[in-house]
Amino acid sequence: MANALLPMSAGFATCMSLIVSIGAQNAFVLRQGLRRHAVLLVVTICVVSDVILIALGVGGFGTLVTSSPTLLTLCTVIGGCFLLCYGFLAARRALRPASGLEAGTGETPSRRRAALTCLAMTWLNPQTYLETILLIGSVAAGYGAMRWEFGAGALAASCVWFVALGFGARLLTGFFSRPGSWRVLDGVIAVMMVSLGTSLLAGA
């Protein structure tokens, strides 16, 4: 059990670092939470989508990669470099922050429209596949037989984030509306990503 904590913690940190950023999906979930409209539906779609995508990355891609030591090393290096690049981008955002995330106002959409919008933001976004199947899958492959523990940590991060963002939106609004708050958050993300990337490259 103790041996599983390391990959689970790494999976949680990796996924949380990727998912906690200003983006269309997070903005939409936050707005739904502020309006208290179809929050459970939207959060469920986000989490279930991540379950499918992360499982594909950790299972299919992970199995393929671990069958070839050369491919495993290559993917580990790619994953480590990607983490470093993502960390540097987060550091740049921290040094040069954008405006805060506004909840937005306007007409409340129907539950069907809310669901379709959430699905589109998740499944029609190329970055989603890059982050879940390719990045999380390649990083998980570096943990070999413990890759499913890494995946479990990543899934836990997804659940925690979307539940907190959707149902805790009213409490989070004041925080996320200030550019300085995102600056601190991006700084933390930068440290986590660079640390994970360096660790992967060191073990490649």
PDB file of all heavy atoms in Angstrom, residues 35-78:
ATOM      1  N   ARG A  35     -24.573  29.757 -11.484  1.00  0.00           N
ATOM      2  CA  ARG A  35     -25.999  29.838 -11.800  1.00  0.00           C
ATOM      3  C   ARG A  35     -26.811  28.755 -11.101  1.00  0.00           C
ATOM      4  O   ARG A  35     -28.038  28.778 -11.142  1.00  0.00           O
ATOM      5  CB  ARG A  35     -26.193  29.695 -13.312  1.00  0.00           C
ATOM      6  CG  ARG A  35     -25.635  30.870 -14.105  1.00  0.00           C
ATOM      7  CD  ARG A  35     -25.569  30.542 -15.576  1.00  0.00           C
ATOM      8  NE  ARG A  35     -25.141  31.686 -16.370  1.00  0.00           N
ATOM      9  CZ  ARG A  35     -24.796  31.617 -17.646  1.00  0.00           C
ATOM     10  NH1 ARG A  35     -24.790  30.449 -18.261  1.00  0.00           N
ATOM     11  NH2 ARG A  35     -24.424  32.699 -18.296  1.00  0.00           N
ATOM     12  N   ARG A  36     -26.077  27.767 -10.531  1.00  0.00           N
ATOM     13  CA  ARG A  36     -26.729  26.612  -9.884  1.00  0.00           C
ATOM     14  C   ARG A  36     -27.670  25.913 -10.859  1.00  0.00           C
ATOM     15  O   ARG A  36     -28.794  25.534 -10.519  1.00  0.00           O
ATOM     16  CB  ARG A  36     -27.493  27.066  -8.628  1.00  0.00           C
ATOM     17  CG  ARG A  36     -26.569  27.622  -7.549  1.00  0.00           C
ATOM     18  CD  ARG A  36     -27.319  27.923  -6.271  1.00  0.00           C
ATOM     19  NE  ARG A  36     -26.415  28.459  -5.255  1.00  0.00           N
ATOM     20  CZ  ARG A  36     -26.799  28.805  -4.024  1.00  0.00           C
ATOM     21  NH1 ARG A  36     -28.076  28.673  -3.668  1.00  0.00           N
ATOM     22  NH2 ARG A  36     -25.926  29.272  -3.172  1.00  0.00           N
ATOM     23  N   HIS A  37     -27.178  25.738 -12.065  1.00  0.00           N
ATOM     24  CA  HIS A  37     -27.988  25.115 -13.119  1.00  0.00           C
ATOM     25  C   HIS A  37     -27.259  23.910 -13.710  1.00  0.00           C
ATOM     26  O   HIS A  37     -26.138  24.030 -14.208  1.00  0.00           O
ATOM     27  CB  HIS A  37     -28.282  26.127 -14.229  1.00  0.00           C
ATOM     28  CG  HIS A  37     -29.023  25.530 -15.397  1.00  0.00           C
ATOM     29  ND1 HIS A  37     -30.334  25.137 -15.313  1.00  0.00           N
ATOM     30  CD2 HIS A  37     -28.616  25.260 -16.662  1.00  0.00           C
ATOM     31  CE1 HIS A  37     -30.721  24.646 -16.479  1.00  0.00           C
ATOM     32  NE2 HIS A  37     -29.698  24.703 -17.314  1.00  0.00           N
ATOM     33  N   ALA A  38     -27.889  22.733 -13.645  1.00  0.00           N
ATOM     34  CA  ALA A  38     -27.354  21.494 -14.220  1.00  0.00           C
ATOM     35  C   ALA A  38     -25.927  21.217 -13.757  1.00  0.00           C
ATOM     36  O   ALA A  38     -25.122  20.660 -14.506  1.00  0.00           O
ATOM     37  CB  ALA A  38     -27.410  21.555 -15.750  1.00  0.00           C
ATOM     38  N   VAL A  39     -25.610  21.580 -12.524  1.00  0.00           N
ATOM     39  CA  VAL A  39     -24.244  21.418 -12.022  1.00  0.00           C
ATOM     40  C   VAL A  39     -23.846  19.943 -11.950  1.00  0.00           C
ATOM     41  O   VAL A  39     -22.770  19.551 -12.402  1.00  0.00           O
ATOM     42  CB  VAL A  39     -24.086  22.070 -10.636  1.00  0.00           C
ATOM     43  CG1 VAL A  39     -22.657  21.903 -10.134  1.00  0.00           C
ATOM     44  CG2 VAL A  39     -24.447  23.549 -10.706  1.00  0.00           C
ATOM     45  N   LEU A  40     -24.718  19.109 -11.387  1.00  0.00           N
ATOM     46  CA  LEU A  40     -24.414  17.685 -11.264  1.00  0.00           C
ATOM     47  C   LEU A  40     -24.217  17.060 -12.637  1.00  0.00           C
ATOM     48  O   LEU A  40     -23.293  16.255 -12.837  1.00  0.00           O
ATOM     49  CB  LEU A  40     -25.535  16.966 -10.517  1.00  0.00           C
ATOM     50  CG  LEU A  40     -25.353  15.446 -10.340  1.00  0.00           C
ATOM     51  CD1 LEU A  40     -24.081  15.148  -9.564  1.00  0.00           C
ATOM     52  CD2 LEU A  40     -26.570  14.849  -9.618  1.00  0.00           C
ATOM     53  N   LEU A  41     -25.053  17.427 -13.608  1.00  0.00           N
ATOM     54  CA  LEU A  41     -24.947  16.889 -14.962  1.00  0.00           C
ATOM     55  C   LEU A  41     -23.619  17.275 -15.592  1.00  0.00           C
ATOM     56  O   LEU A  41     -22.911  16.425 -16.159  1.00  0.00           O
ATOM     57  CB  LEU A  41     -26.107  17.425 -15.806  1.00  0.00           C
ATOM     58  CG  LEU A  41     -26.091  17.056 -17.301  1.00  0.00           C
ATOM     59  CD1 LEU A  41     -26.167  15.548 -17.484  1.00  0.00           C
ATOM     60  CD2 LEU A  41     -27.240  17.757 -18.029  1.00  0.00           C
ATOM     61  N   VAL A  42     -23.251  18.522 -15.496  1.00  0.00           N
ATOM     62  CA  VAL A  42     -22.020  19.021 -16.096  1.00  0.00           C
ATOM     63  C   VAL A  42     -20.789  18.400 -15.434  1.00  0.00           C
ATOM     64  O   VAL A  42     -19.854  17.962 -16.119  1.00  0.00           O
ATOM     65  CB  VAL A  42     -21.960  20.563 -16.001  1.00  0.00           C
ATOM     66  CG1 VAL A  42     -20.564  21.078 -16.341  1.00  0.00           C
ATOM     67  CG2 VAL A  42     -22.989  21.189 -16.928  1.00  0.00           C
ATOM     68  N   VAL A  43     -20.787  18.351 -14.118  1.00  0.00           N
ATOM     69  CA  VAL A  43     -19.657  17.760 -13.393  1.00  0.00           C
ATOM     70  C   VAL A  43     -19.516  16.282 -13.738  1.00  0.00           C
ATOM     71  O   VAL A  43     -18.401  15.781 -13.948  1.00  0.00           O
ATOM     72  CB  VAL A  43     -19.834  17.941 -11.868  1.00  0.00           C
ATOM     73  CG1 VAL A  43     -18.818  17.102 -11.099  1.00  0.00           C
ATOM     74  CG2 VAL A  43     -19.687  19.411 -11.489  1.00  0.00           C
ATOM     75  N   THR A  44     -20.638  15.577 -13.829  1.00  0.00           N
ATOM     76  CA  THR A  44     -20.617  14.155 -14.162  1.00  0.00           C
ATOM     77  C   THR A  44     -20.032  13.925 -15.552  1.00  0.00           C
ATOM     78  O   THR A  44     -19.224  13.008 -15.761  1.00  0.00           O
ATOM     79  CB  THR A  44     -22.034  13.558 -14.109  1.00  0.00           C
ATOM     80  OG1 THR A  44     -22.560  13.698 -12.780  1.00  0.00           O
ATOM     81  CG2 THR A  44     -22.022  12.083 -14.475  1.00  0.00           C
ATOM     82  N   ILE A  45     -20.433  14.753 -16.516  1.00  0.00           N
ATOM     83  CA  ILE A  45     -19.902  14.630 -17.873  1.00  0.00           C
ATOM     84  C   ILE A  45     -18.388  14.824 -17.887  1.00  0.00           C
ATOM     85  O   ILE A  45     -17.651  14.061 -18.524  1.00  0.00           O
ATOM     86  CB  ILE A  45     -20.574  15.658 -18.807  1.00  0.00           C
ATOM     87  CG1 ILE A  45     -22.030  15.265 -19.069  1.00  0.00           C
ATOM     88  CG2 ILE A  45     -19.822  15.760 -20.140  1.00  0.00           C
ATOM     89  CD1 ILE A  45     -22.818  16.300 -19.849  1.00  0.00           C
ATOM     90  N   CYS A  46     -17.915  15.833 -17.175  1.00  0.00           N
ATOM     91  CA  CYS A  46     -16.480  16.109 -17.121  1.00  0.00           C
ATOM     92  C   CYS A  46     -15.705  14.949 -16.496  1.00  0.00           C
ATOM     93  O   CYS A  46     -14.671  14.520 -17.025  1.00  0.00           O
ATOM     94  CB  CYS A  46     -16.219  17.389 -16.329  1.00  0.00           C
ATOM     95  SG  CYS A  46     -16.800  18.904 -17.131  1.00  0.00           S
ATOM     96  N   VAL A  47     -16.204  14.428 -15.388  1.00  0.00           N
ATOM     97  CA  VAL A  47     -15.503  13.349 -14.680  1.00  0.00           C
ATOM     98  C   VAL A  47     -15.532  12.052 -15.483  1.00  0.00           C
ATOM     99  O   VAL A  47     -14.497  11.380 -15.634  1.00  0.00           O
ATOM    100  CB  VAL A  47     -16.122  13.135 -13.281  1.00  0.00           C
ATOM    101  CG1 VAL A  47     -15.532  11.888 -12.626  1.00  0.00           C
ATOM    102  CG2 VAL A  47     -15.892  14.354 -12.396  1.00  0.00           C
ATOM    103  N   VAL A  48     -16.711  11.679 -16.002  1.00  0.00           N
ATOM    104  CA  VAL A  48     -16.823  10.438 -16.780  1.00  0.00           C
ATOM    105  C   VAL A  48     -15.944  10.511 -18.033  1.00  0.00           C
ATOM    106  O   VAL A  48     -15.302   9.524 -18.411  1.00  0.00           O
ATOM    107  CB  VAL A  48     -18.294  10.171 -17.163  1.00  0.00           C
ATOM    108  CG1 VAL A  48     -18.386   9.015 -18.159  1.00  0.00           C
ATOM    109  CG2 VAL A  48     -19.120   9.852 -15.918  1.00  0.00           C
ATOM    110  N   SER A  49     -15.915  11.680 -18.667  1.00  0.00           N
ATOM    111  CA  SER A  49     -15.057  11.855 -19.845  1.00  0.00           C
ATOM    112  C   SER A  49     -13.596  11.635 -19.484  1.00  0.00           C
ATOM    113  O   SER A  49     -12.855  10.967 -20.217  1.00  0.00           O
ATOM    114  CB  SER A  49     -15.246  13.255 -20.430  1.00  0.00           C
ATOM    115  OG  SER A  49     -16.566  13.439 -20.909  1.00  0.00           O
ATOM    116  N   ASP A  50     -13.189  12.178 -18.349  1.00  0.00           N
ATOM    117  CA  ASP A  50     -11.800  11.994 -17.914  1.00  0.00           C
ATOM    118  C   ASP A  50     -11.506  10.543 -17.562  1.00  0.00           C
ATOM    119  O   ASP A  50     -10.404  10.042 -17.804  1.00  0.00           O
ATOM    120  CB  ASP A  50     -11.500  12.895 -16.712  1.00  0.00           C
ATOM    121  CG  ASP A  50     -11.021  14.281 -17.141  1.00  0.00           C
ATOM    122  OD1 ASP A  50     -11.051  14.558 -18.353  1.00  0.00           O
ATOM    123  OD2 ASP A  50     -10.630  15.075 -16.274  1.00  0.00           O
ATOM    124  N   VAL A  51     -12.480   9.857 -16.981  1.00  0.00           N
ATOM    125  CA  VAL A  51     -12.312   8.436 -16.657  1.00  0.00           C
ATOM    126  C   VAL A  51     -12.007   7.650 -17.933  1.00  0.00           C
ATOM    127  O   VAL A  51     -11.078   6.836 -17.988  1.00  0.00           O
ATOM    128  CB  VAL A  51     -13.574   7.866 -15.967  1.00  0.00           C
ATOM    129  CG1 VAL A  51     -13.500   6.339 -15.917  1.00  0.00           C
ATOM    130  CG2 VAL A  51     -13.723   8.425 -14.569  1.00  0.00           C
ATOM    131  N   ILE A  52     -12.796   7.909 -18.980  1.00  0.00           N
ATOM    132  CA  ILE A  52     -12.617   7.202 -20.253  1.00  0.00           C
ATOM    133  C   ILE A  52     -11.268   7.531 -20.878  1.00  0.00           C
ATOM    134  O   ILE A  52     -10.509   6.635 -21.287  1.00  0.00           O
ATOM    135  CB  ILE A  52     -13.755   7.565 -21.229  1.00  0.00           C
ATOM    136  CG1 ILE A  52     -15.100   7.066 -20.682  1.00  0.00           C
ATOM    137  CG2 ILE A  52     -13.488   6.966 -22.612  1.00  0.00           C
ATOM    138  CD1 ILE A  52     -16.299   7.545 -21.486  1.00  0.00           C
ATOM    139  N   LEU A  53     -10.957   8.813 -20.949  1.00  0.00           N
ATOM    140  CA  LEU A  53      -9.731   9.246 -21.616  1.00  0.00           C
ATOM    141  C   LEU A  53      -8.469   8.815 -20.871  1.00  0.00           C
ATOM    142  O   LEU A  53      -7.500   8.349 -21.484  1.00  0.00           O
ATOM    143  CB  LEU A  53      -9.750  10.768 -21.786  1.00  0.00           C
ATOM    144  CG  LEU A  53     -10.783  11.296 -22.787  1.00  0.00           C
ATOM    145  CD1 LEU A  53     -10.929  12.804 -22.655  1.00  0.00           C
ATOM    146  CD2 LEU A  53     -10.382  10.923 -24.214  1.00  0.00           C
ATOM    147  N   ILE A  54      -8.489   8.959 -19.548  1.00  0.00           N
ATOM    148  CA  ILE A  54      -7.321   8.564 -18.756  1.00  0.00           C
ATOM    149  C   ILE A  54      -7.132   7.047 -18.800  1.00  0.00           C
ATOM    150  O   ILE A  54      -6.008   6.546 -18.879  1.00  0.00           O
ATOM    151  CB  ILE A  54      -7.452   9.060 -17.305  1.00  0.00           C
ATOM    152  CG1 ILE A  54      -7.335  10.599 -17.278  1.00  0.00           C
ATOM    153  CG2 ILE A  54      -6.369   8.446 -16.410  1.00  0.00           C
ATOM    154  CD1 ILE A  54      -7.593  11.210 -15.918  1.00  0.00           C
ATOM    155  N   ALA A  55      -8.247   6.310 -18.759  1.00  0.00           N
ATOM    156  CA  ALA A  55      -8.163   4.843 -18.842  1.00  0.00           C
ATOM    157  C   ALA A  55      -7.571   4.414 -20.182  1.00  0.00           C
ATOM    158  O   ALA A  55      -6.765   3.476 -20.255  1.00  0.00           O
ATOM    159  CB  ALA A  55      -9.547   4.227 -18.647  1.00  0.00           C
ATOM    160  N   LEU A  56      -7.965   5.099 -21.264  1.00  0.00           N
ATOM    161  CA  LEU A  56      -7.399   4.795 -22.583  1.00  0.00           C
ATOM    162  C   LEU A  56      -5.896   5.074 -22.601  1.00  0.00           C
ATOM    163  O   LEU A  56      -5.119   4.302 -23.159  1.00  0.00           O
ATOM    164  CB  LEU A  56      -8.096   5.642 -23.656  1.00  0.00           C
ATOM    165  CG  LEU A  56      -9.514   5.236 -24.043  1.00  0.00           C
ATOM    166  CD1 LEU A  56     -10.111   6.255 -25.009  1.00  0.00           C
ATOM    167  CD2 LEU A  56      -9.535   3.848 -24.663  1.00  0.00           C
ATOM    168  N   GLY A  57      -5.517   6.187 -21.990  1.00  0.00           N
ATOM    169  CA  GLY A  57      -4.110   6.546 -21.958  1.00  0.00           C
ATOM    170  C   GLY A  57      -3.284   5.589 -21.127  1.00  0.00           C
ATOM    171  O   GLY A  57      -2.232   5.101 -21.570  1.00  0.00           O
ATOM    172  N   VAL A  58      -3.763   5.306 -19.914  1.00  0.00           N
ATOM    173  CA  VAL A  58      -3.015   4.441 -18.999  1.00  0.00           C
ATOM    174  C   VAL A  58      -3.064   2.985 -19.440  1.00  0.00           C
ATOM    175  O   VAL A  58      -2.060   2.268 -19.375  1.00  0.00           O
ATOM    176  CB  VAL A  58      -3.575   4.570 -17.564  1.00  0.00           C
ATOM    177  CG1 VAL A  58      -2.872   3.581 -16.622  1.00  0.00           C
ATOM    178  CG2 VAL A  58      -3.406   5.991 -17.056  1.00  0.00           C
ATOM    179  N   GLY A  59      -4.227   2.536 -19.911  1.00  0.00           N
ATOM    180  CA  GLY A  59      -4.388   1.136 -20.294  1.00  0.00           C
ATOM    181  C   GLY A  59      -3.825   0.812 -21.659  1.00  0.00           C
ATOM    182  O   GLY A  59      -2.820   0.113 -21.787  1.00  0.00           O
ATOM    183  N   GLY A  60      -4.457   1.348 -22.698  1.00  0.00           N
ATOM    184  CA  GLY A  60      -4.036   1.029 -24.056  1.00  0.00           C
ATOM    185  C   GLY A  60      -2.650   1.531 -24.381  1.00  0.00           C
ATOM    186  O   GLY A  60      -1.763   0.767 -24.753  1.00  0.00           O
ATOM    187  N   PHE A  61      -2.441   2.808 -24.211  1.00  0.00           N
ATOM    188  CA  PHE A  61      -1.146   3.395 -24.538  1.00  0.00           C
ATOM    189  C   PHE A  61      -0.071   2.873 -23.591  1.00  0.00           C
ATOM    190  O   PHE A  61       1.043   2.572 -24.009  1.00  0.00           O
ATOM    191  CB  PHE A  61      -1.238   4.921 -24.443  1.00  0.00           C
ATOM    192  CG  PHE A  61      -0.037   5.625 -25.006  1.00  0.00           C
ATOM    193  CD1 PHE A  61       0.110   5.797 -26.370  1.00  0.00           C
ATOM    194  CD2 PHE A  61       0.959   6.109 -24.164  1.00  0.00           C
ATOM    195  CE1 PHE A  61       1.213   6.447 -26.897  1.00  0.00           C
ATOM    196  CE2 PHE A  61       2.066   6.758 -24.678  1.00  0.00           C
ATOM    197  CZ  PHE A  61       2.191   6.926 -26.049  1.00  0.00           C
ATOM    198  N   GLY A  62      -0.424   2.765 -22.307  1.00  0.00           N
ATOM    199  CA  GLY A  62       0.546   2.296 -21.325  1.00  0.00           C
ATOM    200  C   GLY A  62       1.011   0.882 -21.599  1.00  0.00           C
ATOM    201  O   GLY A  62       2.195   0.568 -21.505  1.00  0.00           O
ATOM    202  N   THR A  63       0.055   0.014 -21.959  1.00  0.00           N
ATOM    203  CA  THR A  63       0.395  -1.381 -22.258  1.00  0.00           C
ATOM    204  C   THR A  63       1.297  -1.476 -23.478  1.00  0.00           C
ATOM    205  O   THR A  63       2.262  -2.241 -23.512  1.00  0.00           O
ATOM    206  CB  THR A  63      -0.886  -2.204 -22.496  1.00  0.00           C
ATOM    207  OG1 THR A  63      -1.709  -2.151 -21.326  1.00  0.00           O
ATOM    208  CG2 THR A  63      -0.548  -3.653 -22.798  1.00  0.00           C
ATOM    209  N   LEU A  64       0.977  -0.679 -24.504  1.00  0.00           N
ATOM    210  CA  LEU A  64       1.783  -0.675 -25.716  1.00  0.00           C
ATOM    211  C   LEU A  64       3.211  -0.221 -25.431  1.00  0.00           C
ATOM    212  O   LEU A  64       4.178  -0.819 -25.896  1.00  0.00           O
ATOM    213  CB  LEU A  64       1.149   0.264 -26.752  1.00  0.00           C
ATOM    214  CG  LEU A  64       1.950   0.507 -28.042  1.00  0.00           C
ATOM    215  CD1 LEU A  64       2.095  -0.802 -28.817  1.00  0.00           C
ATOM    216  CD2 LEU A  64       1.263   1.559 -28.898  1.00  0.00           C
ATOM    217  N   VAL A  65       3.317   0.823 -24.632  1.00  0.00           N
ATOM    218  CA  VAL A  65       4.633   1.387 -24.346  1.00  0.00           C
ATOM    219  C   VAL A  65       5.481   0.459 -23.493  1.00  0.00           C
ATOM    220  O   VAL A  65       6.675   0.260 -23.754  1.00  0.00           O
ATOM    221  CB  VAL A  65       4.484   2.756 -23.649  1.00  0.00           C
ATOM    222  CG1 VAL A  65       5.833   3.241 -23.133  1.00  0.00           C
ATOM    223  CG2 VAL A  65       3.917   3.775 -24.625  1.00  0.00           C
ATOM    224  N   THR A  66       4.886  -0.138 -22.472  1.00  0.00           N
ATOM    225  CA  THR A  66       5.661  -0.988 -21.563  1.00  0.00           C
ATOM    226  C   THR A  66       6.129  -2.279 -22.227  1.00  0.00           C
ATOM    227  O   THR A  66       7.001  -2.966 -21.701  1.00  0.00           O
ATOM    228  CB  THR A  66       4.837  -1.339 -20.313  1.00  0.00           C
ATOM    229  OG1 THR A  66       3.564  -1.879 -20.715  1.00  0.00           O
ATOM    230  CG2 THR A  66       4.600  -0.108 -19.452  1.00  0.00           C
ATOM    231  N   SER A  67       5.564  -2.628 -23.376  1.00  0.00           N
ATOM    232  CA  SER A  67       5.991  -3.842 -24.076  1.00  0.00           C
ATOM    233  C   SER A  67       7.306  -3.628 -24.818  1.00  0.00           C
ATOM    234  O   SER A  67       7.937  -4.581 -25.267  1.00  0.00           O
ATOM    235  CB  SER A  67       4.916  -4.287 -25.079  1.00  0.00           C
ATOM    236  OG  SER A  67       4.746  -3.317 -26.111  1.00  0.00           O
ATOM    237  N   SER A  68       7.719  -2.380 -24.944  1.00  0.00           N
ATOM    238  CA  SER A  68       8.971  -2.061 -25.639  1.00  0.00           C
ATOM    239  C   SER A  68       9.817  -1.143 -24.766  1.00  0.00           C
ATOM    240  O   SER A  68       9.452   0.015 -24.552  1.00  0.00           O
ATOM    241  CB  SER A  68       8.672  -1.368 -26.980  1.00  0.00           C
ATOM    242  OG  SER A  68       9.854  -0.849 -27.553  1.00  0.00           O
ATOM    243  N   PRO A  69      10.944  -1.624 -24.244  1.00  0.00           N
ATOM    244  CA  PRO A  69      11.816  -0.795 -23.400  1.00  0.00           C
ATOM    245  C   PRO A  69      12.264   0.488 -24.098  1.00  0.00           C
ATOM    246  O   PRO A  69      12.330   1.549 -23.484  1.00  0.00           O
ATOM    247  CB  PRO A  69      13.009  -1.717 -23.116  1.00  0.00           C
ATOM    248  CG  PRO A  69      12.452  -3.099 -23.257  1.00  0.00           C
ATOM    249  CD  PRO A  69      11.439  -3.003 -24.354  1.00  0.00           C
ATOM    250  N   THR A  70      12.552   0.392 -25.406  1.00  0.00           N
ATOM    251  CA  THR A  70      12.986   1.579 -26.154  1.00  0.00           C
ATOM    252  C   THR A  70      11.871   2.604 -26.240  1.00  0.00           C
ATOM    253  O   THR A  70      12.082   3.803 -26.030  1.00  0.00           O
ATOM    254  CB  THR A  70      13.423   1.189 -27.581  1.00  0.00           C
ATOM    255  OG1 THR A  70      14.493   0.240 -27.501  1.00  0.00           O
ATOM    256  CG2 THR A  70      13.889   2.411 -28.350  1.00  0.00           C
ATOM    257  N   LEU A  71      10.662   2.121 -26.559  1.00  0.00           N
ATOM    258  CA  LEU A  71       9.505   3.004 -26.648  1.00  0.00           C
ATOM    259  C   LEU A  71       9.173   3.593 -25.286  1.00  0.00           C
ATOM    260  O   LEU A  71       8.777   4.753 -25.179  1.00  0.00           O
ATOM    261  CB  LEU A  71       8.297   2.236 -27.201  1.00  0.00           C
ATOM    262  CG  LEU A  71       7.048   3.066 -27.533  1.00  0.00           C
ATOM    263  CD1 LEU A  71       7.382   4.166 -28.537  1.00  0.00           C
ATOM    264  CD2 LEU A  71       5.947   2.160 -28.071  1.00  0.00           C
ATOM    265  N   LEU A  72       9.346   2.795 -24.232  1.00  0.00           N
ATOM    266  CA  LEU A  72       9.096   3.260 -22.875  1.00  0.00           C
ATOM    267  C   LEU A  72      10.028   4.427 -22.532  1.00  0.00           C
ATOM    268  O   LEU A  72       9.598   5.452 -22.002  1.00  0.00           O
ATOM    269  CB  LEU A  72       9.298   2.118 -21.879  1.00  0.00           C
ATOM    270  CG  LEU A  72       9.223   2.483 -20.386  1.00  0.00           C
ATOM    271  CD1 LEU A  72       7.864   3.081 -20.050  1.00  0.00           C
ATOM    272  CD2 LEU A  72       9.482   1.252 -19.531  1.00  0.00           C
ATOM    273  N   THR A  73      11.314   4.252 -22.858  1.00  0.00           N
ATOM    274  CA  THR A  73      12.279   5.321 -22.586  1.00  0.00           C
ATOM    275  C   THR A  73      11.948   6.566 -23.397  1.00  0.00           C
ATOM    276  O   THR A  73      11.997   7.696 -22.878  1.00  0.00           O
ATOM    277  CB  THR A  73      13.700   4.852 -22.934  1.00  0.00           C
ATOM    278  OG1 THR A  73      14.030   3.706 -22.135  1.00  0.00           O
ATOM    279  CG2 THR A  73      14.715   5.953 -22.668  1.00  0.00           C
ATOM    280  N   LEU A  74      11.589   6.360 -24.669  1.00  0.00           N
ATOM    281  CA  LEU A  74      11.259   7.486 -25.541  1.00  0.00           C
ATOM    282  C   LEU A  74      10.059   8.265 -24.991  1.00  0.00           C
ATOM    283  O   LEU A  74      10.091   9.500 -24.913  1.00  0.00           O
ATOM    284  CB  LEU A  74      10.946   6.976 -26.952  1.00  0.00           C
ATOM    285  CG  LEU A  74      10.493   8.034 -27.965  1.00  0.00           C
ATOM    286  CD1 LEU A  74      11.595   9.069 -28.174  1.00  0.00           C
ATOM    287  CD2 LEU A  74      10.117   7.364 -29.290  1.00  0.00           C
ATOM    288  N   CYS A  75       9.012   7.541 -24.607  1.00  0.00           N
ATOM    289  CA  CYS A  75       7.804   8.197 -24.096  1.00  0.00           C
ATOM    290  C   CYS A  75       8.065   8.868 -22.749  1.00  0.00           C
ATOM    291  O   CYS A  75       7.472   9.910 -22.442  1.00  0.00           O
ATOM    292  CB  CYS A  75       6.670   7.187 -23.980  1.00  0.00           C
ATOM    293  SG  CYS A  75       5.997   6.683 -25.580  1.00  0.00           S
ATOM    294  N   THR A  76       8.916   8.245 -21.949  1.00  0.00           N
ATOM    295  CA  THR A  76       9.259   8.858 -20.668  1.00  0.00           C
ATOM    296  C   THR A  76       9.965  10.186 -20.884  1.00  0.00           C
ATOM    297  O   THR A  76       9.682  11.177 -20.210  1.00  0.00           O
ATOM    298  CB  THR A  76      10.171   7.914 -19.849  1.00  0.00           C
ATOM    299  OG1 THR A  76       9.479   6.682 -19.611  1.00  0.00           O
ATOM    300  CG2 THR A  76      10.524   8.540 -18.504  1.00  0.00           C
ATOM    301  N   VAL A  77      10.884  10.208 -21.860  1.00  0.00           N
ATOM    302  CA  VAL A  77      11.607  11.451 -22.183  1.00  0.00           C
ATOM    303  C   VAL A  77      10.637  12.494 -22.740  1.00  0.00           C
ATOM    304  O   VAL A  77      10.682  13.669 -22.356  1.00  0.00           O
ATOM    305  CB  VAL A  77      12.735  11.176 -23.198  1.00  0.00           C
ATOM    306  CG1 VAL A  77      13.332  12.495 -23.699  1.00  0.00           C
ATOM    307  CG2 VAL A  77      13.815  10.314 -22.554  1.00  0.00           C
ATOM    308  N   ILE A  78       9.743  12.055 -23.637  1.00  0.00           N
ATOM    309  CA  ILE A  78       8.763  12.981 -24.215  1.00  0.00           C
ATOM    310  C   ILE A  78       7.862  13.551 -23.126  1.00  0.00           C
ATOM    311  O   ILE A  78       7.595  14.758 -23.068  1.00  0.00           O
ATOM    312  CB  ILE A  78       7.910  12.273 -25.289  1.00  0.00           C
ATOM    313  CG1 ILE A  78       8.771  11.939 -26.506  1.00  0.00           C
ATOM    314  CG2 ILE A  78       6.728  13.149 -25.705  1.00  0.00           C
ATOM    315  CD1 ILE A  78       8.051  11.123 -27.560  1.00  0.00           C
TER     316      ILE A  78
END
